[in-house]
Amino acid sequence: MNVQAWMREARTTKRKRAVLRPISATVAFQAALLAPTNRLLKRMAEQVAQDVLPAAISAKAQMMRDDLNWFERAMRALRDFADGFVEGLRSEWRDAFDTEEERNKRRFNEAVRSAIGIDLGAVIQAEGIGNTIDAAVLANVSRVRGLSQDVANRLASKLLDALTRGLSNRDIERILIDEFGMARRRAKFIARDQAASFNGDLNEIRQTAMGVVEYEWSTSLDERVTGNPDGIYPNARPSHWDRQGKRFRWNKPPEGGHPGQRPGCRCTARAVIEF
């Protein structure tokens, strides 16, 4: 149902225009996506300390005989463990996306009611939400699985290099600390990016279902916004900083996509409605 068309036909007064308040992904949602990944990395680190590190130290002592079978088996077991652990997290991530979808729906209905004084919750039927959630879960599983396998592969490569160069046990432990520190930072980015992307998809689905054709670009107005001349990425293109407050149409995405579609984008689309 095109709600905007219905409202225009139902009124004989001059049209009014309102911009809905922004609906952004919450820190709680990001935390819900990140927590399972951090548990995975913790379990991987424990297995490395228990099996991989002793195997690497033993392999270093046996390098003269080229006896690396134990180390290779330990790394293979780490990859298999990580793959199975990620699959077991699928339902937990599904719950997180379901909860966020309900929150987004509630916030959207509240924003519409605040702007035009009408509760349209029972009128607006946004199709495709279920498929969007399925796709988001699949994407999150894929990205975290890729992260875990990258960690295992990087560890295998760096540890083998350490063995051939005869690095000390302390140096090998430092490699593990550095690699898992990098992995946790990547996990945080993945959670933030997936949360913003999912929120952007929900905003587009709900706005277009209501008949909204254009939106106002809204940024976080901080140093991480691309193109902010005083920020971290002043020369990044396209500049989302320059898009603040400008209007775009859903059927004509700007360079780089709508808010939340570009990796790392935390921007949101504020619906422009006429009534």
Side-chain angles (χ1 to χ4, degrees), residues 4 17-23 108 111-112 115 203 206-208 210-218 247-248 250 268-274:
Q4 286 204 96
R17 176 176 290 185
V19 180
L20 301 190
R21 57 176 177 257
I23 302 175
F108 182 74
V112 173
N203 286 339
R206 291 208 158 90
Q207 290 182 28
T208 54
M210 184 180 171
V212 172
V213 297
E214 67 175 2
Y215 62 84
E216 186 176 288
W217 195 287
S218 178
R247 293 181 179 177
F248 300 88
W250 282 115
T268 56
R270 301 181 61 186
V272 178
I273 62 176
E274 294 183 348

Side-chain angles (χ1 to χ4, degrees), residues 28 38 44 82 97 99 114 135 170 191 201 239:
N38 278 341
M44 288 181 69
F97 282 109
T99 299
S114 176
R170 188 176 185 85
D201 289 342
S239 171

Side-chain angles (χ1 to χ4, degrees), residues 12 15 26 32 34 59-60 103 105 115 137 155 167 173 199 202 212 225 229:
T12 57
R15 293 182 189 176
T26 63
L34 179 59
K60 184 179 70 170
R103 185 201 70 87
K105 178 171 65 176
V137 173
L155 282 175
L167 298 185
E173 292 176 356
N199 182 76
L202 292 181
V212 172
V225 177

